[in-house]
Amino acid sequence: MTLLLRTTAGRILEVHRRVLEAMWAYTQVHPKNTEAGGILVGHERQQGNLVLDRFTSPQPGDRRTRTRFHRSVEPHQELLNLMWLASGCTRTYFGEWHTHPEPCPTPSSIDLRSWRKHLKQEEARENGLHFIIVGTAITRVWHANQGGRDVTLIGETHTEFRV
Ligand SMILES: [Zn+2]
């Protein structure tokens, strides 16, 4: 089932179930699990809906600890380029995702700083950016407009992982 959300720009965002399920494989259920993350990739339907149907998983070069995830730029960018080419140049950068070792995730001050940095970049464009944090009980989705400082929670769903 697709998760349907409304962005602060009034667009409908369709988050595909298999993207969520693939991220849930990284849920930090055990004390030894480090944070995971990557980028969100999607496309725009002709009727205007935004479709989040791809993502990148952790790559070599990412810095991962129990409470920090720092994404390496190049391997994720290369994967994005491949997805862009394979889709006939329709899939683009939609935002960022990572996990947190807490049930109901809230962005840290470091997260907010990093998100605002991405929002200043050209890639945020007219649709703004989306941010997902996978907590151990709930997965939450935020949206913000390009150049914006206000990041708005636009939806959440239960984190469903299989042990
Ligand atoms: Zn975080």
Side-chain angles (χ1 to χ4, degrees), residues 107-117 119 149 151:
S108 66
S109 55
I110 293 168
D111 291 335
L112 289 170
R113 252 202 317 276
S114 142
W115 292 357
R116 284 172 185 144
K117 195 185 77 192
L119 285 162
R149 287 188 58 79
V151 178

Side-chain angles (χ1 to χ4, degrees), residues 127-144:
N127 295 326
L129 290 178
H130 312 84
F131 304 99
I132 294 181
I133 303 182
V134 176
T136 55
I138 290 177
T139 295
R140 287 180 161 157
V141 186
W142 288 264
H143 177 263

Side-chain angles (χ1 to χ4, degrees), residues 35 67 69 98-100 106-108 111 133:
E35 286 197 7
T67 55
F69 175 79
H98 68 290
T99 62
H100 269 193
T106 52
S108 66
D111 291 335
I133 303 182

